[in-house]
């Protein structure tokens, strides 16, 4: 007998690892710079967690979960997504009492018993970001911005952001009724799946891919016209902030997402083409913490499919080599320079310079020690005086020679020295 990897799964061979490493390190580098902390939760969880959290009538729970019964008689599930497990951990560890919001990221495998095809697997991997404990629209925008930064840094081109608001527990029930009324009258024209969905999950009729259902969706009442004041203001703020940041988006009033916990903002990143590929998806879920037994707590999150990002890198012929160690190290001393150094850090990163720092360390000696360990060629030292004078010290790590230059010249000077 010859064994093979189970259907819908695959081995990640050594020659493929550079892609995985590139994605993991890019995600980590960007999100940790924005204060996200890593969390790993178990790969299996109590099945009730997803029945409640993801939603009883979602495709995931109805058709795609790998459920098994343990010897002790418990029903467990290989996680089909991260979010409910992370919310469980938030409640279980009393993270409510930590400074809010809690920003968490995870990278790892998830399992869905779907029909395998190109870009769709049964064991696949996600990078997952959650911000729990704050309801402001800027958190939605921050997550969207991070996904933009991640895909851009990876070198993926031609993706779009689709965005919508699906309201909250105040306004959605009325809209849902309107939608059911509308579709009931057209029932016979719906595909078989949508006739089923009409009973259990009517919002999903809006994003059915069947041509006849799509036509009906075009004339259906639009959620945007039925948002309550709060949801409307929230959505407006999200869109205005995206405009301000220059992040392009497409309003898609048929975007509803396939998980039950979403409220207000929902969004997806898609690679356009003949068959659009969903690279990442997320949204706000202000009711989930309470639904799973915690105090009412707003939250928002997103997950990206790693296999899909890799496939985009390959089809766009993006060259991925082994990671090299950072050649520049940013040292900061004192409160003002620490704040300045965050901005400088982002500017240098934007200019394509790989920079390391040890923001948690205070003394120059301990920071230079880290720089030495990392094998950096140059240390940039931003002290109180330099922060006030808008200058910076460039230190050659080998010779120890130092030179003070105006801050606006630093990129040019570094590039010259690293040539
Ligand atoms: P999702 O849209 O179900 O959201 O999955 C996120 C991403 O996982 C998709 O955009 C896609 O790239 C990838 N993906 C999904 N299914 C497959 C598959 N069978 N094979 C390969 N890749 C796949 C969630 O999972 C939510 N938990 C996201 C979230 C986090 N919402 C709030 N917080």
């Amino acid at each position: 007998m010859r064994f093979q990897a189970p259907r819908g799964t695959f081995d990640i061979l050594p020659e493929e690892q550079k892609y995985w490493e590139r994605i993991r390190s890019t995600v980590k580098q960007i999100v940790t710079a924005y204060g996200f902390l890593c969390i790993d939760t178990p790969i299996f969880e109590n099945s009730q967690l997803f029945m409640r959290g993801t939603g009883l009538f979602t495709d995931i729970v109805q058709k795609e979960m790998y459920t098994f019964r343990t010897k002790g008689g418990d029903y467990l599930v290989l996680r089909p997504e991260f979010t409910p497990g992370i919310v469980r951990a938030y409640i279980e560890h009393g993270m409510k009492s930590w400074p809010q919001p809690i920003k968490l990221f995870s990278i790892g495998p998830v399992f869905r018993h779907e029909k395998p095809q190109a870009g769709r697997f049964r064991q696949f991997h996600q990078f997952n970001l959650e911000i729990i404990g704050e309801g402001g629209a800027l958190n939605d925008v921050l997550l969207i911005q991070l996904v933009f930064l991640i895909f851009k840094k990876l070198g993926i081109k031609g993706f779009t952001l689709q965005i919508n608001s699906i309201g909250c527990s105040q306004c959605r029930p009325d809209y849902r009724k309107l939608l059911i009324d509308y579709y009931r009258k057209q029932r016979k024209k719906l595909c078989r799946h949508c006739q089923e969905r009409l009973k259990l999950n009517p919002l999903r009729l809006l994003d059915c891919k069947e041509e006849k259902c799509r036509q009906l969706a075009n004339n259906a009442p639009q959620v945007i016209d039925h948002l309550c004041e709060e949801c409307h203001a929230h959505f407006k703020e999200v869109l205005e902030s995206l405009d301000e940041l220059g992040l392009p988006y497409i309003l898609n009033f048929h975007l509803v997402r396939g998980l039950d916990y979403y409220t207000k903002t929902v969004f997806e990143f898609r690679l356009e083409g003949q068959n659009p590929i969903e690279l990442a998806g997320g949204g706000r879920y202000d009711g989930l913490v309470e639904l799973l037994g915690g105090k009412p707590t707003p939250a928002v999150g997103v997950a990206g499919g790693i296999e899909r990002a890799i496939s985009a890198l390959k089809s766009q012929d993006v060259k991925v080599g082994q990671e090299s160690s950072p050649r520049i190290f940013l040292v900061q001393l004192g409160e003002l320079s620490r704040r300045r150094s965050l901005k400088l850090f982002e500017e240098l990163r934007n200019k394509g310079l790989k920079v390391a720092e040890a923001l948690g360390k205070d003394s120059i000696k301990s920071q230079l020690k880290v720089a030495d360990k990392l094998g950096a060629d140059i240390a940039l030292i931003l002290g109180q005086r330099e922060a006030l004078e808008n200058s910076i010290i460039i230190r050659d790590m080998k010779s120890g020679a130092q030179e003070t230059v105006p801050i606006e010249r630093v990129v040019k000077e570094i590039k010259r020295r690293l040539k």
Side-chain angles (χ1 to χ4, degrees), residues 366-386:
S366 57
Q367 292 183 65
L368 285 175
K369 228 183 188 169
V370 180
D372 211 4
K373 249 196 192 154
L374 290 173
D377 296 309
I378 288 176
L380 296 174
I381 305 171
L382 190 65
Q384 277 309 75
R385 185 162 145 211
E386 287 73 29

Side-chain angles (χ1 to χ4, degrees), residues 6 47 89 93 356 405:
S47 71
H93 301 287
V405 301

Side-chain angles (χ1 to χ4, degrees), residues 8 10 54 60 64 80-84 86 110-131 143 151 257-259 261-262 267-269 277-285 288 299-309:
F10 56 90
T54 312
I60 290 182
E64 296 168 3
E81 56 151 338
F82 279 95
T83 312
I86 288 167
V110 283
F111 306 84
R112 295 184 193 173
H113 192 269
E114 294 193 79
K115 204 167 154 213
Q117 51 178 255
R120 193 193 286 159
F121 305 96
R122 290 182 169 169
Q123 172 175 340
F124 59 100
H125 300 74
Q126 290 183 336
F127 62 86
N128 186 84
L129 315 177
E130 313 283 0
I131 304 181
L143 284 181
F151 289 158
R257 308 263 307 133
L259 306 123
Y261 44 66
Y262 289 118
F267 56 89
E268 278 178 11
F269 284 82
I277 297 164
E278 193 193 311
L279 290 174
R284 180 157 279 289
Y285 54 95
L288 186 59
V300 58
V302 62
I306 298 188
E307 286 78 2
R308 294 191 184 174

Side-chain angles (χ1 to χ4, degrees), residues 179-352:
L179 207 59
I180 294 174
D181 283 349
Y182 167 80
Y183 275 115
R184 270 214 185 114
K185 289 181 200 133
Q186 324 264 2
R187 206 193 160 104
K188 292 218 174 72
K189 296 187 207 154
L190 291 169
C191 75
R192 198 168 47 83
H193 283 306
C194 282
Q195 297 202 5
E196 275 300 302
R197 285 187 193 126
L198 184 54
K199 283 184 240 150
L200 305 173
N201 210 346
L203 251 67
R204 294 246 48 198
L205 270 73
L206 292 171
D207 73 352
C208 179
K209 307 279 176 301
E210 294 276 334
E211 187 50 39
K212 52 186 179 180
C213 299
R214 270 168 53 169
Q215 276 174 16
L216 288 178
N218 284 338
N219 296 320
Q222 290 191 347
V223 61
I224 193 79
D225 299 325
H226 302 277
L227 294 178
C228 62
E229 226 169 89
E230 191 191 317
C231 287
H232 194 271
H234 186 96
F235 196 41
K236 190 162 167 262
E237 195 181 340
V238 169
L239 299 182
E240 283 172 359
S241 310
L242 290 174
D243 286 335
E244 229 162 82
L245 286 167
L247 300 175
Y249 55 85
I250 296 170
L251 285 174
N252 178 349
F253 298 131
H254 295 159
L255 181 71
V256 292
R257 308 263 307 133
L259 306 123
D260 272 3
Y261 44 66
Y262 289 118
T263 51
K264 296 184 177 164
T265 322
V266 286
F267 56 89
E268 278 178 11
F269 284 82
R270 293 185 189 161
L271 203 56
E272 298 304 334
Q274 256 204 338
N275 297 313
I277 297 164
E278 193 193 311
L279 290 174
R284 180 157 279 289
Y285 54 95
D286 290 343
L288 186 59
V289 180
E290 191 179 7
L291 189 70
L292 295 179
K295 298 243 160 59
T297 308
V300 58
V302 62
I306 298 188
E307 286 78 2
R308 294 191 184 174
I310 290 178
S311 144
L313 290 179
K314 287 183 178 169
S315 68
Q316 298 182 0
D317 219 9
V318 178
K319 294 276 168 289
V320 172
Q322 298 298 345
E323 283 280 307
S324 55
S325 53
R327 299 184 63 190
I328 308 160
F329 192 93
L330 187 54
V331 176
Q332 39 68 38
L333 295 164
E335 213 29 60
L336 177 64
S337 69
R338 184 175 308 201
R339 257 184 282 137
R340 284 274 166 84
S341 67
L342 273 178
K343 198 166 153 230
L344 179 63
F345 186 83
E346 183 66 11
E347 280 168 10
L348 295 172
R349 207 176 58 73
N350 257 329
K351 293 266 157 45

Side-chain angles (χ1 to χ4, degrees), residues 42-86:
I43 281 172
F44 53 79
E45 297 265 5
N46 191 306
S47 71
Q48 288 290 330
L49 181 68
F50 301 101
M51 288 157 92
R52 271 212 196 179
T54 312
L56 207 48
F57 300 116
T58 57
D59 284 352
I60 290 182
V61 170
Q62 291 275 307
K63 304 180 206 153
E64 296 168 3
M65 292 211 297
Y66 282 93
T67 310
F68 57 99
R69 194 163 174 223
T70 64
K71 287 193 177 129
D74 295 328
Y75 284 96
L76 298 178
V77 169
L78 295 183
R79 65 179 177 209
E81 56 151 338
F82 279 95
T83 312
I86 288 167

